[in-house]
Amino acid sequence: MTQASSGQSPTRQGARWSARDWPIAAAMIPFPGTLPDGRAVQGAGPEVWAKSLREVAAAGFDAVDPTDSWLRIADLAPAARAEFLAICAGLNLSIPAISTSRRSVIDPEHGASHLAYCHRVIDTAAELGIGHVSIGLFGPLTDAQQRATWFWTQPGVRNPDDPAIYDLALTRIRDLADHAGGCDIQLSLEMYEDTYLGTARDAVRFMTDLDHPAARLNIDIGNLIRLHRPVEPWAEMIALCAPFAGYWHVKNYTRMEDSASGQVMTHPAPLLGGTINWRAAIWTALELGFDSPFLVEHYGGDGLWVCARNRDYIREVLAAKEKVDDQGI
């Protein structure tokens, strides 16, 4: 199957994209992986997949990341995957990247099977001409997180403070990066609390220890800003991590801190209106050579349409940077 027939966008080479055609994909997190009748989206078939993807296209998107909390395209049979790709092509939706969620390769019970799955994702991306794959070291939601209104307000699974497990993470991710690099795919590692990528300094240390040309950092600092506890300032995170930036999940939160009591509260917000100044963050990364697609995410409310507004905002940010650079301001 060719890239043209599958609706994919090839890995970009050479000069940067312009603000108008920079790939900005919709995340599928607004769409649950289980239907109201209890069926898994994975086996529900093309009619169900098409309904959600039509909503994405109706929101003005021309790119989608089939986030695997919604659908694991790497685990579809060839005929089913072809049907999925045909739907995307018919809606003019390219697939610049595939993101995995909660498939940690050092999970104490499922780490080996998650590693095999991530290799399948890379094989699928290579087959379809998809240039980016995002993985993380974060585990499944706990029972308390699943009951909470916002899962990040409850403690989750932690990566152990164990040098042997840290080395295992490096070994397994290096194995995936070798595979990805051999397929001309960029592997992005997602920042997430209480993992070996759980602070800016930890992420920089891990990337430095990994030291692999095919691996970059998914500087999803929204995952950290939303925590109800002290965190590094967002600008400090960007300054430290932007030199490593690859495929980038972006979202924002309003963070309120009471300095007297130490209480912290957060709530999802659009990119334009939250605590993180995304114009400054994106411009910093661009000045350091950032040249990967974006993924827009949002939890709560009408998440898809907030993502659409976030997409438009990013294009405005990119266009303003082009104008400033062209005019030499």
Side-chain angles (χ1 to χ4, degrees):
M1 182 176 292
T2 66
Q3 289 171 343
S5 64
S6 65
Q8 309 316 306
S9 56
T11 303
R12 185 181 63 85
Q13 298 177 354
R16 289 179 176 175
W17 293 291
S18 71
R20 289 177 297 177
D21 61 9
W22 203 295
I24 304 174
M28 294 303 288
I29 59 174
F31 301 93
T34 302
L35 300 172
D37 61 9
R39 288 181 297 154
V41 169
Q42 186 71 19
E47 290 186 7
V48 170
W49 308 336
K51 182 178 183 296
S52 296
L53 291 168
R54 284 196 297 268
E55 290 188 49
V56 171
F61 282 97
D62 58 11
V64 65
D65 178 334
T67 320
D68 73 356
S69 57
W70 176 66
L71 183 71
R72 303 186 311 279
I73 66 168
D75 284 345
L76 293 176
R81 187 153 61 232
E83 288 181 292
F84 176 80
L85 294 171
I87 295 166
C88 291
L91 294 169
N92 294 316
L93 290 171
S94 69
I95 306 177
I98 303 173
S99 291
T100 70
S101 177
R102 306 190 184 281
R103 312 280 175 179
S104 172
V105 298
I106 56 169
D107 182 278
E109 184 176 356
H110 302 292
S113 62
H114 289 340
L115 177 64
Y117 167 73
C118 289
H119 276 296
R120 292 198 302 277
V121 172
I122 293 169
D123 283 335
T124 299
E127 173 193 339
L128 303 178
I130 297 170
H132 301 262
V133 168
S134 178
I135 67 171
L137 293 173
F138 47 107
L141 294 173
T142 65
D143 290 342
Q145 286 179 312
Q146 292 183 54
R147 290 193 299 268
T149 301
W150 302 121
F151 62 83
W152 55 85
T153 63
Q154 295 295 322
V157 176
R158 290 176 171 266
N159 288 173
D161 183 12
D162 183 336
I165 303 300
Y166 182 87
D167 288 344
L168 178 64
L170 288 172
T171 297
R172 289 185 168 178
I173 290 177
R174 193 170 287 118
D175 177 37
L176 291 170
D178 285 343
H179 184 183
C183 301
D184 195 26
I185 289 170
Q186 179 197 97
L187 186 70
S188 267
L189 309 180
E190 183 175 351
M191 295 177 70
Y192 200 94
E193 76 267 15
D194 299 325
T195 72
Y196 299 139
L197 304 159
T199 70
R201 285 167 176 78
D202 285 346
V204 168
R205 176 198 173 200
F206 192 89
M207 297 303 296
T208 302
D209 290 344
L210 182 65
D211 190 25
H212 198 291
R216 303 296 290 172
L217 188 61
N218 176 352
I219 50 177
D220 189 352
I221 63 171
N223 287 340
L224 308 180
I225 287 294
R226 69 190 178 191
L227 299 176
H228 285 200
R229 64 196 197 208
V231 297
E232 299 155 309
W234 70 263
E236 187 174 306
M237 296 185 201
I238 292 295
L240 289 168
C241 296
F244 300 89
Y247 179 51
W248 199 352
H249 295 183
V250 294
K251 54 183 174 284
N252 212 350
Y253 292 83
T254 297
R255 181 178 174 90
M256 296 166 286
E257 301 184 20
D258 184 339
S259 58
S261 68
Q263 185 177 17
V264 178
M265 301 291 287
T266 66
H267 192 279
L271 290 190
L272 180 61
T275 295
I276 302 166
N277 180 342
W278 276 107
R279 180 179 62 85
I282 291 169
W283 281 28
T284 296
L286 290 171
E287 289 166 359
L288 291 168
F290 173 72
D291 62 354
S292 299
F294 292 96
L295 175 75
V296 285
E297 297 182 306
H298 186 80
Y299 287 98
D302 190 346
L304 177 61
W305 288 84
V306 174
C307 286
R309 303 291 81 75
N310 289 345
R311 173 204 63 218
D312 296 344
Y313 168 73
I314 291 173
R315 294 216 186 278
E316 291 172 3
V317 166
L318 295 171
K321 185 68 166 67
E322 287 179 356
K323 184 175 182 181
V324 167
D325 290 347
D326 289 346
Q327 294 179 352
I329 299 173

